[in-house]
Amino acid sequence: LYGASDTVDVPADAALDITADLTVEAQGLTLRSLPTDKAYVLNKPENYGLQVDSLGDVSFYAVSSTTTSDTLRPDGAGSGGSGGFANVFCATAWECIDDVTPNANGNYILEDSAGSGIGYYTLSSTSVPANAVISQIDCWVNMRYVGATGAGQCGLRLSGVDQIAGSNQLLTASYANYSGLAIPRPGGGTWQPSDLDDLEIIVRLNDGDGGGGNNVEATQAFIILFYYEPITVSAPVLIDEEHDWKGTYDGVSVDLFKDGSLVATTPFTQPLLSSSEAIVIGQGDLYGSARRIRVGSVDISTPTWDLDLDFEPVEMAQTQKGTSGNGWTYLGTVDDLSTNNHPVTYSFER
């Protein structure tokens, strides 16, 4: 497997949605170099995978079906400006709305003259792991009006694209929380943990009269993200060394084996998250080789192999061929030795 020039494609119907008694095995795995970030020997997004990272660790992960949450608060000025709001009892707009307790210091941002304004604010860092599955992100703002009326909204910005939550919400004369729930990812697609690095919260305030007697104040803004956490076990590896790696989950613990010996374990008793995503082999800038890749279920001591791909040259000799004269591009197939009959296609260039 050599990055984008070598690919192994598993049929889309080979979902292999295994949520208990899981075994993932890569025999004869040899790395020629480490990836620049992370790469996968085998990856089933939202479910499980065998990963290699730039630090020289092999990791097995399995995603829990139980959600957890994290709260992120403003920590700086965003890319779209601060909305022209007045800062009351604070130096910058984001410092007016980053309190854990609403209005704890008597500070707030104020819309009192322009009619409406939109402020953008970066968010604090998060410990959400790379293989987590984000299920929902909500935004919240604590606001009130002073005078006769006022309205407000929150939203999210990602890579310069805005997603405002619903329509303006009419406020009361007392501070209260107003939310936008399950905000779609700006620009479409599904939320990824990497999105959190560039995510900004949006606060929109509307005083309704553009300089009359109405003001709108906001004293707190934050997001709550809900996600399914991956349970991960890791062990170091050196390049140019050949090893057999196996990751298992038996309803008691998530374990990683190297050459038959247990090298990492963590207790875990929850079911795994179900996923309809297809398995991917050789994802990312992975440069190395493996003799055999298998995925099993039913019993980790004597697995029922749901996918069993033997990459030994003897298995490929009948199907390997040049695709353009004497060129160096090759295509072929590798039979699935399990009873599921999911043969893969491969291609490589030299």
Side-chain angles (χ1 to χ4, degrees), residues 120-136:
Y120 298 82
Y121 310 97
T122 60
L123 292 161
S124 54
S125 59
T126 177
S127 58
V128 174
N131 291 309
V133 179
I134 298 174
S135 59
Q136 181 172 322

Side-chain angles (χ1 to χ4, degrees), residues 68-72 123-134 193-194 196-197 225 227-230 232:
T68 188
S69 64
D70 196 5
T71 300
L72 308 185
L123 292 161
S124 54
S125 59
T126 177
S127 58
V128 174
N131 291 309
V133 179
I134 298 174
S194 58
L196 303 176
D197 296 333
L225 60 97
Y227 62 96
Y228 300 99
E229 185 174 12
T232 305

Side-chain angles (χ1 to χ4, degrees), residues 46 134-135 158 161 163 182-192 195:
E46 305 181 5
I134 298 174
S135 59
L158 180 64
V161 179
Q163 185 71 53
I183 299 177
R185 182 180 185 274
T190 58
W191 286 109
Q192 301 297 324
D195 292 336

Side-chain angles (χ1 to χ4, degrees), residues 216-233:
V216 175
E217 302 171 358
T219 184
Q220 183 190 51
F222 58 93
I223 72 167
I224 301 178
L225 60 97
F226 300 88
Y227 62 96
Y228 300 99
E229 185 174 12
I231 311 303
T232 305
V233 286

